């Protein structure tokens, strides 16, 4: 995708703080971290969101979940972490290249709406 910021990061056209890379997966530090460990894990292939996972492209999703525990430990979240993928406008997805936030490195609030 010509205008996709994460495709450009995967290609090395935009710099990133790489944490992990293999043939199918790229992981890098979020530019706006919300915890001591905040890493984005993306398929190298452009998939816009979770809504666009199909039987043809889903192999990379299992690969992502195989390597997330390694990536979390590399990022300093060995004591626990959370994986989030925002999908669509109500979830606040701002970059339309599928990505999984791996967040940890501290004790995380249990609830999406902490005031509840
Ligand atoms: P989401 O709201 O789930 O679509 O999250 C997108 C995340 O991507 C957000 O936490 C900030 C991050 N981000 C956006 N642009 C860049 C960038 O150019 N570099 C890095 N490292 N992260 C970015």
């Amino acid at each position: 995708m010509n205008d996709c910021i994460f495709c450009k990061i995967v290609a090395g056209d935009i710099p990133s703080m790489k944490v992990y890379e293999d043939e199918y997966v790229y992981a890098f530090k979020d530019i706006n971290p919300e915890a001591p460990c905040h890493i984005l894990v993306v398929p190298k292939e452009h998939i816009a969101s979770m809504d666009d996972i199909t039987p043809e492209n889903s192999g990379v999703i299992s690969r992502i979940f195989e390597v997330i525990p390694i990536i979390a430990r590399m990022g300093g979240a060995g004591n626990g972490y959370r994986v989030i993928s925002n999908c669509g406008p109500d979830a606040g997805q701002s970059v339309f290249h599928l990505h999984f936030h791996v967040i940890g490195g501290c004790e995380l609030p249990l609830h999406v709406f902490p005031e509840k």
Side-chain angles (χ1 to χ4, degrees), residues 5-6 9 14 28-32 38 40 86 92-95 99 101:
I5 193 164
F6 287 178
I9 285 175
I14 292 176
F28 56 102
K29 293 189 179 179
D30 194 291
I31 204 167
N32 187 21
H38 188 165
L40 301 174
N86 296 317
Q93 183 177 6
S94 61
V95 178
H99 52 283
H101 299 255

PDB file of all heavy atoms in Angstrom, residues 5-6 9 14 28-32 38 40 86 92-95 99 101, ligand 1:
ATOM      1  N   ILE A   5       1.432   4.085   6.432  1.00  0.00           N
ATOM      2  CA  ILE A   5       2.597   4.434   7.256  1.00  0.00           C
ATOM      3  C   ILE A   5       3.296   3.185   7.792  1.00  0.00           C
ATOM      4  O   ILE A   5       4.533   3.145   7.875  1.00  0.00           O
ATOM      5  CB  ILE A   5       2.163   5.406   8.378  1.00  0.00           C
ATOM      6  CG1 ILE A   5       3.358   6.028   9.055  1.00  0.00           C
ATOM      7  CG2 ILE A   5       1.263   4.749   9.384  1.00  0.00           C
ATOM      8  CD1 ILE A   5       3.027   7.246   9.882  1.00  0.00           C
ATOM      9  N   PHE A   6       2.530   2.143   8.151  1.00  0.00           N
ATOM     10  CA  PHE A   6       3.179   0.942   8.693  1.00  0.00           C
ATOM     11  C   PHE A   6       3.841   0.128   7.585  1.00  0.00           C
ATOM     12  O   PHE A   6       4.868  -0.509   7.825  1.00  0.00           O
ATOM     13  CB  PHE A   6       2.196   0.107   9.510  1.00  0.00           C
ATOM     14  CG  PHE A   6       1.849   0.708  10.858  1.00  0.00           C
ATOM     15  CD1 PHE A   6       0.933   0.090  11.705  1.00  0.00           C
ATOM     16  CD2 PHE A   6       2.445   1.886  11.304  1.00  0.00           C
ATOM     17  CE1 PHE A   6       0.619   0.633  12.944  1.00  0.00           C
ATOM     18  CE2 PHE A   6       2.136   2.443  12.535  1.00  0.00           C
ATOM     19  CZ  PHE A   6       1.215   1.808  13.353  1.00  0.00           C
ATOM     20  N   ILE A   9       7.100   1.789   7.340  1.00  0.00           N
ATOM     21  CA  ILE A   9       7.978   1.395   8.448  1.00  0.00           C
ATOM     22  C   ILE A   9       8.560   0.009   8.181  1.00  0.00           C
ATOM     23  O   ILE A   9       9.770  -0.218   8.335  1.00  0.00           O
ATOM     24  CB  ILE A   9       7.210   1.462   9.790  1.00  0.00           C
ATOM     25  CG1 ILE A   9       7.051   2.940  10.203  1.00  0.00           C
ATOM     26  CG2 ILE A   9       7.902   0.643  10.872  1.00  0.00           C
ATOM     27  CD1 ILE A   9       6.212   3.163  11.444  1.00  0.00           C
ATOM     28  N   ILE A  14      10.390   4.690   6.587  1.00  0.00           N
ATOM     29  CA  ILE A  14      10.200   5.553   7.753  1.00  0.00           C
ATOM     30  C   ILE A  14      10.925   4.871   8.909  1.00  0.00           C
ATOM     31  O   ILE A  14      10.753   3.664   9.114  1.00  0.00           O
ATOM     32  CB  ILE A  14       8.702   5.737   8.087  1.00  0.00           C
ATOM     33  CG1 ILE A  14       8.008   6.541   6.992  1.00  0.00           C
ATOM     34  CG2 ILE A  14       8.508   6.400   9.444  1.00  0.00           C
ATOM     35  CD1 ILE A  14       6.511   6.690   7.187  1.00  0.00           C
ATOM     36  N   PHE A  28       7.836  -3.014  16.528  1.00  0.00           N
ATOM     37  CA  PHE A  28       8.570  -1.780  16.814  1.00  0.00           C
ATOM     38  C   PHE A  28       7.873  -1.019  17.933  1.00  0.00           C
ATOM     39  O   PHE A  28       6.692  -1.226  18.216  1.00  0.00           O
ATOM     40  CB  PHE A  28       8.669  -0.914  15.540  1.00  0.00           C
ATOM     41  CG  PHE A  28       7.335  -0.585  14.908  1.00  0.00           C
ATOM     42  CD1 PHE A  28       6.751   0.664  15.084  1.00  0.00           C
ATOM     43  CD2 PHE A  28       6.650  -1.529  14.140  1.00  0.00           C
ATOM     44  CE1 PHE A  28       5.517   0.972  14.514  1.00  0.00           C
ATOM     45  CE2 PHE A  28       5.414  -1.238  13.560  1.00  0.00           C
ATOM     46  CZ  PHE A  28       4.857   0.009  13.746  1.00  0.00           C
ATOM     47  N   LYS A  29       8.649  -0.112  18.575  1.00  0.00           N
ATOM     48  CA  LYS A  29       8.096   0.637  19.700  1.00  0.00           C
ATOM     49  C   LYS A  29       7.075   1.663  19.227  1.00  0.00           C
ATOM     50  O   LYS A  29       7.303   2.352  18.218  1.00  0.00           O
ATOM     51  CB  LYS A  29       9.224   1.325  20.471  1.00  0.00           C
ATOM     52  CG  LYS A  29      10.139   0.331  21.165  1.00  0.00           C
ATOM     53  CD  LYS A  29      11.110   1.026  22.100  1.00  0.00           C
ATOM     54  CE  LYS A  29      11.980  -0.029  22.791  1.00  0.00           C
ATOM     55  NZ  LYS A  29      12.961   0.577  23.700  1.00  0.00           N
ATOM     56  N   ASP A  30       5.973   1.748  19.959  1.00  0.00           N
ATOM     57  CA  ASP A  30       4.951   2.749  19.651  1.00  0.00           C
ATOM     58  C   ASP A  30       5.531   4.152  19.866  1.00  0.00           C
ATOM     59  O   ASP A  30       6.260   4.407  20.830  1.00  0.00           O
ATOM     60  CB  ASP A  30       3.725   2.538  20.555  1.00  0.00           C
ATOM     61  CG  ASP A  30       2.523   3.313  20.074  1.00  0.00           C
ATOM     62  OD1 ASP A  30       2.536   4.573  20.159  1.00  0.00           O
ATOM     63  OD2 ASP A  30       1.552   2.687  19.606  1.00  0.00           O
ATOM     64  N   ILE A  31       5.204   5.055  18.963  1.00  0.00           N
ATOM     65  CA  ILE A  31       5.735   6.421  19.024  1.00  0.00           C
ATOM     66  C   ILE A  31       5.172   7.192  20.223  1.00  0.00           C
ATOM     67  O   ILE A  31       5.768   8.157  20.684  1.00  0.00           O
ATOM     68  CB  ILE A  31       5.417   7.166  17.696  1.00  0.00           C
ATOM     69  CG1 ILE A  31       6.383   8.305  17.452  1.00  0.00           C
ATOM     70  CG2 ILE A  31       3.968   7.639  17.645  1.00  0.00           C
ATOM     71  CD1 ILE A  31       6.321   8.869  16.038  1.00  0.00           C
ATOM     72  N   ASN A  32       4.036   6.724  20.742  1.00  0.00           N
ATOM     73  CA  ASN A  32       3.351   7.416  21.842  1.00  0.00           C
ATOM     74  C   ASN A  32       3.037   6.402  22.948  1.00  0.00           C
ATOM     75  O   ASN A  32       1.874   6.071  23.185  1.00  0.00           O
ATOM     76  CB  ASN A  32       2.068   8.052  21.283  1.00  0.00           C
ATOM     77  CG  ASN A  32       1.375   8.930  22.286  1.00  0.00           C
ATOM     78  OD1 ASN A  32       1.993   9.396  23.249  1.00  0.00           O
ATOM     79  ND2 ASN A  32       0.081   9.142  22.104  1.00  0.00           N
ATOM     80  N   HIS A  38       5.570  -0.716  25.245  1.00  0.00           N
ATOM     81  CA  HIS A  38       4.437  -0.529  24.327  1.00  0.00           C
ATOM     82  C   HIS A  38       4.965  -0.762  22.912  1.00  0.00           C
ATOM     83  O   HIS A  38       5.591   0.118  22.307  1.00  0.00           O
ATOM     84  CB  HIS A  38       3.825   0.864  24.472  1.00  0.00           C
ATOM     85  CG  HIS A  38       2.549   1.042  23.699  1.00  0.00           C
ATOM     86  ND1 HIS A  38       1.681   2.088  23.911  1.00  0.00           N
ATOM     87  CD2 HIS A  38       1.980   0.305  22.694  1.00  0.00           C
ATOM     88  CE1 HIS A  38       0.654   1.990  23.088  1.00  0.00           C
ATOM     89  NE2 HIS A  38       0.821   0.924  22.326  1.00  0.00           N
ATOM     90  N   LEU A  40       4.284  -2.327  18.955  1.00  0.00           N
ATOM     91  CA  LEU A  40       3.300  -2.652  17.916  1.00  0.00           C
ATOM     92  C   LEU A  40       3.829  -3.824  17.101  1.00  0.00           C
ATOM     93  O   LEU A  40       4.973  -3.797  16.638  1.00  0.00           O
ATOM     94  CB  LEU A  40       3.069  -1.447  17.004  1.00  0.00           C
ATOM     95  CG  LEU A  40       2.574  -0.171  17.705  1.00  0.00           C
ATOM     96  CD1 LEU A  40       2.522   0.994  16.716  1.00  0.00           C
ATOM     97  CD2 LEU A  40       1.204  -0.395  18.343  1.00  0.00           C
ATOM     98  N   ASN A  86      -7.165  -2.481  18.098  1.00  0.00           N
ATOM     99  CA  ASN A  86      -8.324  -1.628  17.872  1.00  0.00           C
ATOM    100  C   ASN A  86      -8.817  -1.846  16.451  1.00  0.00           C
ATOM    101  O   ASN A  86      -8.027  -1.780  15.503  1.00  0.00           O
ATOM    102  CB  ASN A  86      -7.942  -0.160  18.091  1.00  0.00           C
ATOM    103  CG  ASN A  86      -7.526   0.111  19.531  1.00  0.00           C
ATOM    104  OD1 ASN A  86      -8.165  -0.370  20.461  1.00  0.00           O
ATOM    105  ND2 ASN A  86      -6.454   0.860  19.716  1.00  0.00           N
ATOM    106  N   GLY A  92     -11.345   3.372  17.923  1.00  0.00           N
ATOM    107  CA  GLY A  92     -10.289   4.372  17.808  1.00  0.00           C
ATOM    108  C   GLY A  92      -9.121   3.944  16.949  1.00  0.00           C
ATOM    109  O   GLY A  92      -8.018   4.477  17.099  1.00  0.00           O
ATOM    110  N   GLN A  93      -9.349   2.992  16.039  1.00  0.00           N
ATOM    111  CA  GLN A  93      -8.250   2.609  15.145  1.00  0.00           C
ATOM    112  C   GLN A  93      -7.837   3.821  14.317  1.00  0.00           C
ATOM    113  O   GLN A  93      -8.668   4.450  13.652  1.00  0.00           O
ATOM    114  CB  GLN A  93      -8.668   1.457  14.217  1.00  0.00           C
ATOM    115  CG  GLN A  93      -7.519   0.989  13.333  1.00  0.00           C
ATOM    116  CD  GLN A  93      -7.878  -0.201  12.446  1.00  0.00           C
ATOM    117  OE1 GLN A  93      -9.030  -0.633  12.397  1.00  0.00           O
ATOM    118  NE2 GLN A  93      -6.896  -0.726  11.736  1.00  0.00           N
ATOM    119  N   SER A  94      -6.545   4.160  14.389  1.00  0.00           N
ATOM    120  CA  SER A  94      -6.078   5.351  13.673  1.00  0.00           C
ATOM    121  C   SER A  94      -5.146   5.011  12.518  1.00  0.00           C
ATOM    122  O   SER A  94      -4.956   5.835  11.624  1.00  0.00           O
ATOM    123  CB  SER A  94      -5.375   6.315  14.638  1.00  0.00           C
ATOM    124  OG  SER A  94      -4.241   5.702  15.221  1.00  0.00           O
ATOM    125  N   VAL A  95      -4.556   3.824  12.546  1.00  0.00           N
ATOM    126  CA  VAL A  95      -3.689   3.388  11.448  1.00  0.00           C
ATOM    127  C   VAL A  95      -4.307   2.109  10.867  1.00  0.00           C
ATOM    128  O   VAL A  95      -4.467   1.111  11.587  1.00  0.00           O
ATOM    129  CB  VAL A  95      -2.250   3.130  11.919  1.00  0.00           C
ATOM    130  CG1 VAL A  95      -1.397   2.623  10.758  1.00  0.00           C
ATOM    131  CG2 VAL A  95      -1.636   4.393  12.522  1.00  0.00           C
ATOM    132  N   HIS A  99      -2.529  -4.099  13.491  1.00  0.00           N
ATOM    133  CA  HIS A  99      -1.438  -4.091  14.458  1.00  0.00           C
ATOM    134  C   HIS A  99      -1.955  -4.508  15.816  1.00  0.00           C
ATOM    135  O   HIS A  99      -3.121  -4.274  16.154  1.00  0.00           O
ATOM    136  CB  HIS A  99      -0.768  -2.714  14.535  1.00  0.00           C
ATOM    137  CG  HIS A  99      -1.719  -1.583  14.757  1.00  0.00           C
ATOM    138  ND1 HIS A  99      -2.513  -1.045  13.763  1.00  0.00           N
ATOM    139  CD2 HIS A  99      -2.016  -0.888  15.880  1.00  0.00           C
ATOM    140  CE1 HIS A  99      -3.241  -0.058  14.253  1.00  0.00           C
ATOM    141  NE2 HIS A  99      -2.973   0.049  15.545  1.00  0.00           N
ATOM    142  N   HIS A 101      -1.123  -4.063  19.782  1.00  0.00           N
ATOM    143  CA  HIS A 101      -0.386  -3.362  20.828  1.00  0.00           C
ATOM    144  C   HIS A 101      -0.010  -4.388  21.901  1.00  0.00           C
ATOM    145  O   HIS A 101      -0.891  -5.082  22.426  1.00  0.00           O
ATOM    146  CB  HIS A 101      -1.269  -2.295  21.496  1.00  0.00           C
ATOM    147  CG  HIS A 101      -1.763  -1.205  20.588  1.00  0.00           C
ATOM    148  ND1 HIS A 101      -1.227   0.067  20.602  1.00  0.00           N
ATOM    149  CD2 HIS A 101      -2.756  -1.178  19.654  1.00  0.00           C
ATOM    150  CE1 HIS A 101      -1.872   0.836  19.724  1.00  0.00           C
ATOM    151  NE2 HIS A 101      -2.806   0.098  19.138  1.00  0.00           N
TER     152      HIS A 101
HETATM  153  P1  LIG B   1      -4.408   2.561  16.856  1.00  0.00           P
HETATM  154  O1  LIG B   1      -5.062   3.720  17.539  1.00  0.00           O
HETATM  155  O2  LIG B   1      -4.774   1.236  17.516  1.00  0.00           O
HETATM  156  O3  LIG B   1      -4.627   2.568  15.362  1.00  0.00           O
HETATM  157  O4  LIG B   1      -2.850   2.722  17.153  1.00  0.00           O
HETATM  158  C1  LIG B   1      -1.944   3.291  16.264  1.00  0.00           C
HETATM  159  C2  LIG B   1      -0.663   3.469  17.026  1.00  0.00           C
HETATM  160  O5  LIG B   1       0.372   3.713  16.096  1.00  0.00           O
HETATM  161  C3  LIG B   1      -0.650   4.629  18.004  1.00  0.00           C
HETATM  162  O6  LIG B   1      -0.498   4.127  19.334  1.00  0.00           O
HETATM  163  C4  LIG B   1       0.548   5.471  17.600  1.00  0.00           C
HETATM  164  C5  LIG B   1       1.298   4.581  16.681  1.00  0.00           C
HETATM  165  N1  LIG B   1       1.967   5.259  15.579  1.00  0.00           N
HETATM  166  C6  LIG B   1       1.382   6.035  14.642  1.00  0.00           C
HETATM  167  N2  LIG B   1       2.296   6.483  13.769  1.00  0.00           N
HETATM  168  C7  LIG B   1       3.485   5.948  14.158  1.00  0.00           C
HETATM  169  C8  LIG B   1       4.813   6.044  13.642  1.00  0.00           C
HETATM  170  O7  LIG B   1       5.103   6.699  12.641  1.00  0.00           O
HETATM  171  N3  LIG B   1       5.777   5.370  14.316  1.00  0.00           N
HETATM  172  C9  LIG B   1       5.500   4.621  15.443  1.00  0.00           C
HETATM  173  N4  LIG B   1       6.522   3.998  16.030  1.00  0.00           N
HETATM  174  N5  LIG B   1       4.262   4.498  15.939  1.00  0.00           N
HETATM  175  C10 LIG B   1       3.271   5.167  15.310  1.00  0.00           C
END
